[in-house]
Amino acid sequence: MFRRLSGTEPEDPTFPADLEQLGYCINEADQVRQLKDPTKAFHFWISKNERVNEAQREAFNTERVIVLFGETHQDHGIFAWRLIEENVSSGTIIGFVKDAQGESRDNIAVVIANMGQLLWYRGGGRAVTLQTWNALPRAKGTDPPMLIDEARNRVPGNETPAQHVKSVFENVLPRFTKPDARIQVLGVGDGAAEVVAYLEDTWEEWAGKVTAIAVTSGPVWTGRDVEKKNFKTFWGQRARAYVVSSEPVETPLTGREDFGCNVYSAGEDAHVECTTPKAYQNILRFFKLVQEVPGYRELEAAPRLEPTATDANFRVIHEDQIWS
C-alpha cells in the first residue's frame, strides 16, 4: 500500500487567458490555429489528466463579449444590402467584427445573433428569413408561397425573435463565456426592441454581467418603454441610442425623454439599416470607455433646445451641453 506524503500533491493547473501565450493565433479566415503549425486547429487532449485539459479549455473562454442583435428581416451577418454594392465590409458584419476585435483579438469575442433566419427550409437544409421563404421556387408563377409547418419549419427554441434572444443569453453565452464575462450589447432596429425587452424582464439575472447597451434606430423608438426601476436606472446610465439624423455622427440630440437614455446622431439620414455601419466605430469607443473607466455612467443633461430642428423628432444640442 502506498501513501502520498502531504505537500507532494501536484499544483492545480493554470493557463493564461492569452491566445499567444497559449500557443494559438487567429488566421485571416478567423480560425483558431496553433502557432507552431498553422494548419492545425485547437488541441484539447494535451494531457491524460482531465483536469489539465479542462483548465486549458477554460482559459479560452472569453472575458469580454460584444453581442449583436440585428434586424429581424435581414439575413445573418447582413446590415444593409444597399451598402454591399459599395463595400462588402460596410454592408456586412465583416468590418464591425474586425474593428471590434482590433489587432489583439485575445480577450474580445463577438457573437452575432441570427434574428431573421428563423424558418427551416427543409428542401435546402438551411435556415431562411420570411422574405427568402416567400421567394422560394413555386410550381407556377401564380401559386402562393409554401405553407409554413409550425412543427417542421420552425427552429426549436428559436421560433420567434424574442425566443432567439432568450436562447442566445441562456444557452449560447453561458456555454462559451466565463461566469464573470463582461457582456456588451448592440441592438439594431426591431432587434434592439427585442433584446431590451428581454433584459428588462430578466435583469436580476444579468445585472452585473451586461455592462453597456447601444441601440441604433429610427426617429421613433420601436420597443416598449423601459419601466422597471432597476433596469431603467442602468439604461439611463449605461445605454446610448444612435438614431437616423442628418447631423454628423455622434452629434448629441434631444430625445432622452423618449428613449430613456442619451441620444446621438448615427450619421445616417434615411435608412435604419444603414445606421449601424455608419455609427459602429463610435459605439465601439463607447463600449471601450465603459470597459476601461470604473463606475462609468452617462450623465443626464437638461439641454436648451435649438429652435431649428434637424428632423421632426430630434434637435441638436449646444456643444457645451454634451453628455459625458
Side-chain angles (χ1 to χ4, degrees), residues 245-324:
S245 171
S246 59
E247 295 301 321
V249 63
E250 199 70 11
T251 300
L253 305 174
T254 61
R256 184 180 174 94
E257 64 278 8
D258 298 316
F259 279 79
C261 65
N262 291 339
V263 182
Y264 299 85
S265 169
E268 164 60 36
D269 63 1
H271 306 286
V272 172
E273 65 182 14
C274 297
T275 53
T276 305
K278 299 289 182 65
Y280 78 71
Q281 291 184 342
N282 299 77
I283 293 170
L284 292 175
R285 283 194 286 271
F286 164 57
F287 285 167
K288 184 178 181 181
L289 192 63
V290 172
Q291 177 72 12
E292 295 180 348
V293 179
Y296 175 87
R297 66 188 181 93
E298 296 268 288
L299 299 180
E300 181 178 354
R304 299 186 304 274
L305 300 182
E306 286 284 0
T308 303
T310 58
D311 57 47
N313 297 79
F314 300 100
R315 287 174 283 184
V316 182
I317 299 171
H318 288 293
E319 290 185 2
D320 61 353
Q321 297 169 317
I322 292 178
W323 294 303
S324 58

Side-chain angles (χ1 to χ4, degrees), residues 22-298:
L22 287 167
Y24 291 87
C25 64
I26 299 178
N27 64 18
E28 294 181 355
D30 238 18
Q31 300 168 319
V32 176
R33 290 293 182 264
Q34 297 180 25
L35 283 173
K36 63 181 181 181
D37 186 350
T39 65
K40 294 184 179 180
F42 173 69
H43 180 52
F44 176 76
W45 302 103
I46 62 172
S47 171
K48 293 182 179 180
N49 186 329
E50 184 70 14
R51 173 60 184 162
V52 173
N53 298 327
E54 292 290 348
Q56 182 206 211
R57 183 176 65 179
E58 184 64 19
F60 271 82
N61 284 356
T62 186
E63 298 176 346
R64 180 182 169 207
V65 189
I66 297 175
V67 192
L68 171 66
F69 295 89
E71 293 184 280
T72 63
H73 65 275
Q74 294 286 13
D75 289 304
H76 193 215
I78 302 296
F79 285 133
W81 285 104
R82 70 180 74 244
L83 293 180
I84 291 178
E85 297 178 1
E86 304 173 7
N87 186 297
V88 173
S89 292
S90 296
T92 68
I93 62 169
I94 294 174
F96 170 77
V97 172
K98 287 183 177 179
D99 287 348
Q101 294 180 321
E103 295 180 2
S104 177
R105 300 186 286 180
D106 307 2
N107 300 318
I108 301 177
V110 180
V111 175
I112 310 297
N114 191 353
M115 296 291 284
Q117 295 176 324
L118 302 181
L119 289 172
W120 184 251
Y121 172 37
R122 299 175 65 209
R126 58 192 175 97
V128 299
T129 63
L130 179 60
Q131 288 84 344
T132 298
W133 180 273
N134 290 334
L136 292 174
R138 309 175 190 181
K140 298 179 181 179
T142 56
D143 286 349
M146 289 189 298
L147 294 176
I148 297 174
D149 187 310
E150 295 298 328
R152 297 183 176 184
N153 300 129
R154 298 289 183 184
V155 180
N158 297 268
E159 291 84 355
T160 67
Q163 289 172 313
H164 183 61
V165 171
K166 176 181 171 70
S167 179
V168 169
F169 274 97
E170 299 179 14
N171 298 324
V172 177
L173 294 181
R175 180 179 177 186
F176 294 104
T177 63
K178 293 183 177 181
D180 59 349
R182 298 173 294 278
I183 301 168
Q184 299 178 319
V185 174
L186 171 55
V188 184
D190 56 353
E194 296 290 357
V195 68
V196 170
Y198 169 82
L199 286 174
E200 183 176 15
D201 286 342
T202 60
W203 191 238
E204 289 185 3
E205 171 64 24
W206 297 102
K209 299 177 182 179
V210 173
T211 63
I213 303 173
V215 299
T216 54
S217 181
V220 179
W221 172 234
T222 57
R224 65 182 184 183
D225 294 334
V226 174
E227 298 176 347
K228 295 183 179 179
K229 183 178 180 180
N230 290 344
F231 181 71
K232 189 173 184 178
T233 300
F234 174 88
W235 176 254
Q237 297 177 350
R238 291 284 187 90
R240 286 187 179 185
Y242 286 80
V243 302
V244 171
S245 171
S246 59
E247 295 301 321
V249 63
E250 199 70 11
T251 300
L253 305 174
T254 61
R256 184 180 174 94
E257 64 278 8
D258 298 316
F259 279 79
C261 65
N262 291 339
V263 182
Y264 299 85
S265 169
E268 164 60 36
D269 63 1
H271 306 286
V272 172
E273 65 182 14
C274 297
T275 53
T276 305
K278 299 289 182 65
Y280 78 71
Q281 291 184 342
N282 299 77
I283 293 170
L284 292 175
R285 283 194 286 271
F286 164 57
F287 285 167
K288 184 178 181 181
L289 192 63
V290 172
Q291 177 72 12
E292 295 180 348
V293 179
Y296 175 87
R297 66 188 181 93
E298 296 268 288

